[in-house]
Amino acid sequence: MDFFERTGKMAIGSRLRVLTETMTRDAASIYGLYGVEIKPKWFPVFYSLTDEQPKSVTAIAKEIGQSHPSVSTIVKEMIAAELIVEIDDKADRRCTLITLTEYGKSLSQELIAQLRDVERAVEQISAECDNDLWAAIADWEKALRRKSILERVREIKESREHSEVEIIEYQPQYKKAFYELNRKWIELYWELEPHDIEVLENPEKHILEKGGQIFVALYNGFPVGVCALCPMPEESVYDFELAKLAVNNSIRRKGIGHRLCDAVINRARELGGKTLFLESNTRLKPAIALYRKLGFKELPEYHPAYARGDIQMELSL
């Protein structure tokens, strides 16, 4: 077990699988010891039918906590072994019920002594241990019903990644990152336009000095995303524009774009803005989905400022 000592709790699934395999091997031998010719995996279905009440596959699956396909497969195997048989449901001819054959009933009687002996053996093991495995399993099942391991890992992952990403206000040392991040994503599909170059080469003049703001996302201290809040001209019906959103293509699924947009939206509100405008391209499906999630609505008519623009959106703050 040195492997599990090294891996620790992260290998709990593998460790439980080894334990299950050990117990299953013993279980198969125990059935042979008592002359009961059933497979260990059949036991839950077999035991469910020992009350001699015909049941549907759906009812059995619900009772023993296994999936319908899994139970269906076991039922087919047990029918082939002549332990159970299908019968029509008198109350509903469309439904088929499962019940024990006479052979199956005879085995169920032989199984009683085996179950009592197995229970005593399990009690012996429990007495030798510091912890009650049976009670611990019940506690784990309750905890997993409240929240699965998958859900817990997802929350922990999101929390860790959130802590690894910091959103800060623009500083002069990030001027090159602002330019390069925008240049790279634009040139994936299009070419830099004159207005792009003008703003990206001098963000202080075209954004900051006009009362706007640029936010930078740092991942473990390294700039990986940017987004700008740009004041709109006085004649515009909009107060601000969300622009120049760019995230390093190699850093995905960490919510960086969402957090940058949140920073821009919150700053627009702080500055008293009532409406926020943006221009994009429908080819950028993840970005458009993000904007819609944030509450942006597509404008029915648009007059793009960029050749690549084919959608304009607004957000009421």
Side-chain angles (χ1 to χ4, degrees), residues 10-51:
M10 65 181 175
I12 186 170
S14 298
R15 189 163 190 174
L16 288 173
R17 191 175 301 112
V18 171
L19 179 61
T20 299
E21 290 172 353
T22 299
M23 297 178 71
T24 300
R25 283 196 301 270
D26 275 356
S29 299
I30 290 169
Y31 286 120
L33 184 66
Y34 287 80
V36 179
E37 297 179 359
I38 69 172
K39 296 181 180 180
K41 67 176 181 178
W42 295 352
F43 174 74
V45 175
F46 186 85
Y47 190 80
S48 172
L49 295 169
T50 56
D51 60 8

Side-chain angles (χ1 to χ4, degrees), residues 167 213-215 227-230 239-243 245 257-278 290-297 314-317:
I167 307 298
Q213 185 57 263
I214 298 171
F215 292 93
C227 191
L229 175 69
C230 303
D239 298 308
F240 295 99
E241 178 183 6
L242 185 155
L245 172 62
H258 197 302
R259 291 179 62 183
L260 283 166
C261 288
D262 280 342
V264 166
I265 292 169
N266 290 334
R267 180 55 55 87
R269 289 194 178 108
E270 291 171 3
L271 294 174
K274 302 299 181 184
T275 54
L276 191 58
F277 168 86
L278 68 81
L290 170 60
Y291 299 145
R292 295 190 192 281
K293 183 177 181 181
L294 291 167
F296 281 89
K297 306 294 182 184
E314 64 178 355
L315 175 68
S316 296
L317 300 173

